[in-house]
Amino acid sequence: MNKVLLIDDDVELTTLLQEYLVEEGYDVATGTDGGTAIAAAARNAVDLIVLDIMMPRMNGIEILQRIRKLSQVPVLMLTARGDDIDRISGLNLGADDYVTKPCSPGELAARVRAILRRANQPAAGAATDTLRAGRLVVHPGNRTAEWDGQPLELTGTEFSLLEVLARNAGQLISKQDISKRAFGKPLTPFDRRIDVHISSVRQKLGLRQDGQSRIKSVRGQGYQLLLD
């Protein structure tokens, strides 16, 4: 049974979401402050954290920053409707996904299922053999990757994207195909999640000797993992 931690100071909403997720088969704990989330991440005590951005004392962005210094536990952010800055900031800092409030329990449960599915197993239909693309080594079986012999600290979402790029190294692959292969769903209009996550993976891979990013962006078409 996957353990989910809900962090939100809206007790009524948290209770509603907790009851729904429990019925869906999750072991659910709740908290009203960032310290609870940070402590759980430090102990590896949960499989996923649902974190509201608008929190008292320490907001969700600050909490996420501290969590990512300790753990790569999946984090699903709850954001205000239309607040693109917070969404992009959260994704840049390593959030796996976001849901806008007010949200239905069904929508939240669907996002939780999708994130945990990506975190717990290789992408659908993917082989578990080791992938090699230049100095990049990807292990789909345990969802880890190395660059030049050094482990890469990747969130579950970042790993899923990198795996798709590694399987198609040197080839241009559209964002629509990336979304379908990495997440099992089509890309929706104006959705920038892939762009933001790719930006984070780029930083972790560093630059080529010629100063170019190792993940090339082709405007209006998609992305390509360049081989050294």
Side-chain angles (χ1 to χ4, degrees):
M1 183 182 292
N2 288 121
K3 296 182 179 180
V4 177
L5 175 61
L6 297 174
I7 300 294
D8 196 324
D9 61 333
D10 184 337
V11 177
E12 184 177 350
L13 174 62
T14 301
T15 301
L16 173 66
L17 296 177
Q18 181 184 29
E19 290 175 352
Y20 191 92
L21 290 175
V22 167
E23 290 180 359
E24 291 287 303
Y26 298 104
D27 179 3
V28 185
T30 64
T32 58
D33 62 89
T36 303
I38 295 166
R43 299 194 313 271
N44 293 315
V46 294
D47 298 298
L48 182 143
I49 297 173
V50 179
L51 177 62
D52 185 30
I53 284 186
M54 298 301 293
M55 297 285 292
R57 294 185 294 280
M58 189 190 313
N59 66 39
I61 298 298
E62 294 177 85
I63 298 167
L64 178 60
Q65 282 181 303
R66 297 195 185 190
I67 288 173
R68 282 293 169 255
K69 291 178 181 178
L70 302 167
S71 169
Q72 293 300 314
V73 61
V75 176
L76 174 63
M77 304 294 290
L78 298 178
T79 72
R81 186 175 299 278
D83 201 342
D84 291 334
I85 293 177
D86 279 344
R87 293 177 197 169
I88 293 172
S89 295
L91 293 174
N92 275 327
L93 290 171
D96 290 82
D97 204 348
Y98 63 81
V99 174
T100 56
K101 295 173 68 176
C103 65
S104 70
E107 180 185 5
L108 181 73
R111 296 295 179 89
V112 167
R113 278 195 302 272
I115 293 172
L116 289 173
R117 185 171 59 246
R118 296 199 297 266
N120 292 334
Q121 64 184 25
T128 57
D129 55 315
T130 297
L131 304 174
R132 298 181 183 275
R135 286 183 282 166
L136 175 66
V137 180
V138 177
H139 306 283
N142 59 14
R143 295 181 63 80
T144 60
E146 302 156 16
W147 176 259
D148 205 16
Q150 299 299 312
L152 291 169
E153 294 293 332
L154 301 168
T155 66
T157 298
E158 291 168 356
F159 177 87
S160 295
L161 291 172
L162 185 58
E163 181 185 356
V164 172
L165 292 173
R167 289 185 181 279
N168 298 272
Q171 303 175 39
L172 179 65
I173 180 169
S174 72
K175 289 198 289 185
Q176 190 64 253
D177 281 345
I178 292 173
S179 182
K180 289 177 181 178
R181 296 183 196 186
F183 310 136
K185 63 181 181 180
L187 189 68
T188 57
F190 310 111
D191 192 334
R192 295 189 56 198
R193 273 172 265 212
I194 287 180
D195 302 308
V196 176
H197 287 303
I198 288 286
S199 176
S200 179
V201 175
R202 272 194 181 120
Q203 294 178 29
K204 294 177 181 182
L205 292 179
L207 299 175
R208 289 158 47 99
Q209 289 186 350
D210 59 8
Q212 291 189 66
S213 167
R214 291 193 163 90
I215 301 178
K216 180 181 179 181
S217 174
V218 180
R219 186 177 179 85
Q221 296 185 51
Y223 291 102
Q224 178 183 12
L225 178 63
L226 300 177
L227 298 175
D228 287 329

